[in-house]
Amino acid sequence: MNLATRFEARFGRTPAGIWRAPGRVNVIGEHTDYNDGFVLPFAIDRFTTVAASIRTDRTVRVSSTFAPGDVVEVDLEGLQPGDISGWAVYPVGVLWSLEQAGHRVLGMDLLLDSDVPVGAGLSSSAAIECAVAVAANELFDLGLTGPELVLIGQRAENEMVGAPTGILDQSASLLSSQGHAVFLDCRSQESRLVPFPLMEDGLTMLVIDTRISHSHATGGYASRRRSCEVGADVMAVAALRDLSESDLSEAAGLLDEETFRRVRHIVTENARVLAAVKLLESQGPRAIAPLLDASHASMRDDFEISCPELDLAVDIARDAGALGARMTGGGFGGSAIALTNNDDVGRVTESVTSAFASAGYTAPAIFAVVPAEGAGRVE
Ligand code: ADP
Ligand code: MG
């Protein structure tokens, strides 16, 4: 049954339209977004789709193939953070966030479906927010731009969900274009599309989903954020973005050892993003492989957001012929990416799968992704 038919069965009316928004991989630039720094994600060919209609009252009814049978009903009137728990907080949070930004909205009927793996570091949460945001933008005729919708989604995630994330995920989902990565300056929110030709270069971007859900890791994420704030305070800058590699020796003298390593990750990671963009524009994706490896080492040793499963995935992928590999997303689980010659995909996949089995880990899910188009209407 297609989504429109399921919508009719669930809500007894036809949907006004169908919109979708992609998940993402972050090619490089991890935890730099909330430090006013640089990121380089691309949207992947995995999407959250939403069938939607406006209501005449202020009730939101939302249902998801993720939780079949459930229809969650929420009254937008007087809605406050903390009033909703569970997955409905993402779609309803977007409508709340629109209202906080001064846009008067009505209730909606929403039916969600998704093939973005959940809690795998591929941003299934932003995919929901962005699908609902583009649907609401069109149905309520709000005329908001992509960068404006990014902030709507981020506010939903920060204040309704309570996850202190930056603008990386929503920007990737909303601003991406097929065959490109998005180079984003998280301070100015300016973005530029950078060609990311995989097929033409005989390359595959593999995702290795370790099946370790990162959802338990809100504490780790928040504590990294705090360390970055402390580092910026002590170094007397507005954000770590304002430090460069030449400031690191001074930072080493002023910061405690752990905070210094946190700061060093952000500073070197920003430099790696800028280097990756240059290499992509001059030589293509193959050239960025060593930066992926260096980024992983920095996250593992300095920022300490990797985990044994991610380290194994990255090490074995490299040993089996991947050109470069790193964990992607917030860390503490989730997925790694491995940039691989097409000819080596089978070997990398088999090697990682058998290494996980030998280590007694849950079997990973390994699949290829391509840079996909950002959020929009499909029907
Ligand atoms: P990630 O964004 O990396 O996948 P998050 O923890 O940020 O992980 O978001 C995952 C949460 O998003 C899930 O726990 C669930 O509440 C919600 N979610 C994801 N996909 C769906 C879906 N198809 N339908 C309903 N809720 C979903
Ligand atoms: Mg998320």
Side-chain angles (χ1 to χ4, degrees):
M1 229 197 297
N2 70 24
L3 200 62
T5 313
R6 277 187 281 166
F7 184 98
E8 279 177 51
R10 192 69 51 98
F11 295 118
R13 57 195 295 224
T14 52
I18 296 181
W19 290 260
R20 71 175 190 183
R24 61 102 187 91
V25 291
N26 192 19
V27 176
I28 197 159
E30 220 64 77
H31 287 253
T32 45
D33 62 344
Y34 57 78
N35 288 294
D36 277 2
F38 305 108
V39 295
L40 186 71
F42 66 69
I44 58 175
D45 48 331
R46 298 282 189 122
F47 298 89
T48 292
T49 307
V50 62
S53 277
I54 295 186
R55 294 169 59 86
T56 51
D57 59 15
R58 300 262 295 153
T59 302
V60 184
R61 294 192 297 179
V62 57
S63 187
S64 170
T65 52
F66 172 89
D70 282 11
V71 179
V72 178
E73 277 202 31
V74 178
D75 186 356
L76 287 175
E77 214 53 55
L79 182 65
Q80 303 273 352
D83 288 352
I84 335 170
S85 59
W87 60 268
V89 73
Y90 296 92
V92 178
V94 169
L95 297 177
W96 173 86
S97 184
L98 282 168
E99 292 220 307
Q100 299 306 302
H103 308 287
R104 178 87 179 154
V105 299
L106 292 167
M108 297 183 87
D109 289 335
L110 301 166
L111 176 61
L112 297 161
D113 192 16
S114 182
D115 64 359
V116 185
V118 175
L122 302 176
S123 214
S124 68
S125 62
I128 300 184
E129 290 153 5
C130 296
V132 172
V134 290
N137 191 35
E138 187 172 336
L139 289 175
F140 295 115
D141 205 8
L142 302 176
L144 297 173
T145 62
E148 287 169 332
L149 293 175
V150 166
L151 299 180
I152 296 293
Q154 185 203 14
R155 185 165 186 180
E157 183 118 10
N158 289 170
E159 296 181 34
M160 275 308 248
V161 179
T165 49
I167 59 172
L168 163 63
D169 299 349
Q170 292 81 7
S171 298
S173 188
L174 285 159
L175 309 178
S176 282
S177 178
Q178 210 174 353
H180 293 76
V182 182
F183 170 46
L184 175 69
D185 177 337
C186 298
R187 173 167 277 167
S188 66
Q189 229 199 320
E190 276 166 24
S191 67
R192 178 167 100 229
L193 295 172
V194 181
F196 207 94
L198 286 171
M199 230 198 326
E200 297 83 333
D201 287 13
L203 295 172
T204 298
M205 184 66 93
L206 284 178
V207 169
I208 304 166
D209 173 5
T210 63
R211 313 289 286 275
I212 307 290
S213 171
H214 63 68
S215 59
H216 61 282
T218 324
Y221 191 99
S223 87
R224 294 307 179 279
R225 238 190 126 128
R226 270 195 307 280
S227 295
C228 292
E229 281 160 17
V230 169
D233 278 354
V234 172
M235 294 302 292
V237 287
L240 294 183
R241 145 71 175 277
D242 298 310
L243 298 179
S244 62
E245 284 167 295
S246 59
D247 297 313
L248 286 175
S249 58
E250 188 196 346
L254 293 173
L255 299 168
D256 67 86
E257 190 272 338
E258 184 184 279
T259 309
F260 172 67
R261 284 188 289 112
R262 305 295 188 247
V263 168
R264 182 166 61 186
H265 166 71
I266 299 300
V267 172
T268 58
E269 186 78 351
N270 274 325
R272 282 186 289 270
V273 176
L274 297 177
V277 170
K278 271 208 179 115
L279 286 169
L280 279 171
E281 289 179 333
S282 59
Q283 298 176 44
R286 189 175 293 274
I288 68 167
L291 293 169
L292 303 183
D293 294 337
S295 173
H296 187 78
S298 178
M299 291 187 285
R300 181 191 60 210
D301 303 334
D302 275 355
F303 218 57
E304 295 181 277
I305 53 172
S306 190
C307 65
E309 293 83 355
L310 284 168
D311 290 340
L312 185 69
V314 165
D315 290 346
I316 300 293
R318 293 278 291 116
D319 290 349
L323 302 166
R326 66 186 283 277
M327 52 149 283
T328 186
F332 308 101
S335 298
I337 53 172
L339 186 64
T340 306
N341 279 318
N342 290 344
D343 292 345
D344 294 326
V345 165
R347 187 145 44 100
V348 169
T349 304
E350 282 151 31
S351 300
V352 173
T353 304
S354 76
F356 268 57
S358 303
Y361 298 157
T362 305
I366 305 179
F367 51 92
V369 293
V370 294
E373 194 65 27
R377 186 166 185 157
V378 284
E379 271 175 46

